[in-house]
Amino acid sequence: MSSMTRRTLLIGGAATAGATLVSLPAQAAPEFTCKFANNLPLAHPLNVRANEAAARIKADTGGRVELQVFPNGQLGSDTDMLSQVRSGAIEFMTLSGLILATLVPAASISGLGFAFPNYDAVWSAMDGSLGTYVRGQIAKSNLVAMDKIWDSGFRQITTSTRPIDKPADLKGLKIRLASAPIFISLFKSLDAATTPINFNELYSALQTKIVDAQENPLSILSTAKFYEVQKFCSITNHAWDGFWFLANRRAWERLPESLRPIVARHINEAAMAERADLAQLNNSVRADLAGKGLKFNEPDVAPFREALRGAGFYETWKKNFGEEAWAALEKSTGKLS
């Protein structure tokens, strides 16, 4: 057959028969297909913005890079996905610094109790020298962390017994905590009675008074319906956590140098948009929870910091993290120890 393809002949024949057809170039298969996995629902701002980033990456690389988004733990638990991204079975994932700390201890520093007074301090640290330090530590584990960390949110305390206005209100309080050592250390330093309970059993534990309190970001209080079994929500902002966007180093370096900046730029821009989304979401969620009967209070956090200093909490973690990390943290938080 001549250089005219069979497809061209078919289209030409149909056209002469009076059909109106347009010959479009076939979409080339992507050269690089990358899986991105996370444990959040599809509707969470992280996944909304990740899907937008995927579309922009595909467009700006001329279809050469396709980022496939797998939300809601489809590819396993956080620890499963971390193992997969380290082995290269998946190329990208987002992971809480508190969980990443099992591999990179420095990653939990952003969750230090009562460290950040507000979001300005968080972003000053995580977009500044503290974020640079943690990314350097992550790199030692053969992972690549994107420049911008995504927002998970400040954590708040809810109780069925009393609002938390001062450190003494935590004494003896039966509270369920995430199993992060830095959280357990925080609440034990404030004399709370900490209890480990799986998250999927927490609603029942609150309902039956196995524990009287828990702590989580406001969005979790809403989606888990804890407002049905809790009466008070104290805006303590006692810890902040974020999601590092991680890449397998070998997979990252397989991307041509001309494509890596495009991929990184769109992921980092999506992170900034997700931060704004979450800030707006938190405001609307608080109003919604108040409408459902949850009573809010905003305690002064200075006495909590002082109680932690007195208990040696900050000195202990300063030794754990080291002078370099601590100095980077205090650039944004002010003096803690």
Side-chain angles (χ1 to χ4, degrees), residues 200-247:
N200 60 2
E201 299 170 355
L202 180 52
Y203 184 97
S204 175
L206 293 167
Q207 188 176 41
T208 57
K209 308 295 186 186
I210 292 173
V211 289
D212 295 317
Q214 66 84 50
E215 54 80 51
N216 263 300
L218 290 181
S219 58
I220 299 296
L221 308 187
S222 178
T223 57
K225 298 187 176 181
F226 290 154
Y227 56 85
E228 295 177 348
V229 288
Q230 298 280 267
K231 188 179 294 184
F232 303 100
C233 181
S234 301
I235 302 297
T236 50
N237 289 336
H238 58 271
W240 176 84
D241 192 22
F243 299 110
W244 286 104
F245 202 109
L246 305 171

Side-chain angles (χ1 to χ4, degrees), residues 110-314:
S110 58
L112 188 75
F114 292 97
F116 295 114
N118 49 46
Y119 267 118
D120 286 346
V122 169
W123 303 134
S124 169
M126 303 315 295
D127 292 339
S129 55
L130 184 62
T132 299
Y133 174 82
V134 175
R135 284 195 304 278
Q137 297 301 304
I138 292 170
K140 294 178 182 179
S141 297
N142 285 320
L143 297 172
V144 176
M146 297 294 109
D147 286 348
K148 300 298 183 183
I149 190 169
W150 299 52
D151 192 14
S152 177
F154 277 104
R155 302 175 79 92
Q156 321 300 347
I157 300 171
T158 68
T159 73
S160 60
T161 53
R162 60 181 179 267
I164 305 303
D165 281 315
K166 54 190 182 300
D169 293 328
L170 287 168
K171 187 169 184 177
L173 181 70
K174 294 186 295 181
I175 185 169
R176 180 268 181 188
L177 300 178
S179 59
I182 201 166
F183 282 1
I184 295 167
S185 171
L186 165 64
F187 282 90
K188 284 189 173 179
S189 296
L190 295 170
D191 296 323
T194 63
T195 304
I197 295 171
N198 289 334
F199 184 81
N200 60 2
E201 299 170 355
L202 180 52
Y203 184 97
S204 175
L206 293 167
Q207 188 176 41
T208 57
K209 308 295 186 186
I210 292 173
V211 289
D212 295 317
Q214 66 84 50
E215 54 80 51
N216 263 300
L218 290 181
S219 58
I220 299 296
L221 308 187
S222 178
T223 57
K225 298 187 176 181
F226 290 154
Y227 56 85
E228 295 177 348
V229 288
Q230 298 280 267
K231 188 179 294 184
F232 303 100
C233 181
S234 301
I235 302 297
T236 50
N237 289 336
H238 58 271
W240 176 84
D241 192 22
F243 299 110
W244 286 104
F245 202 109
L246 305 171
N248 173 278
R249 179 175 294 281
R250 293 184 303 278
W252 181 249
E253 292 178 349
R254 276 198 299 270
L255 291 175
E257 289 187 18
S258 61
L259 297 182
R260 284 180 224 159
I262 298 172
V263 175
R265 174 167 56 86
H266 285 302
I267 289 172
N268 289 325
E269 286 176 355
M272 299 300 287
E274 185 265 357
R275 293 179 186 182
D277 292 341
L278 208 62
Q280 187 174 0
L281 179 63
N282 282 336
N283 289 335
S284 62
V285 166
R286 177 169 173 172
D288 181 63
L289 290 169
K292 288 181 166 68
L294 203 59
K295 297 177 181 176
F296 284 87
N297 69 298
E298 297 189 23
D300 179 7
V301 300
F304 291 88
R305 274 191 174 187
E306 285 304 316
L308 291 172
R309 287 191 187 101
F313 172 81
Y314 293 121

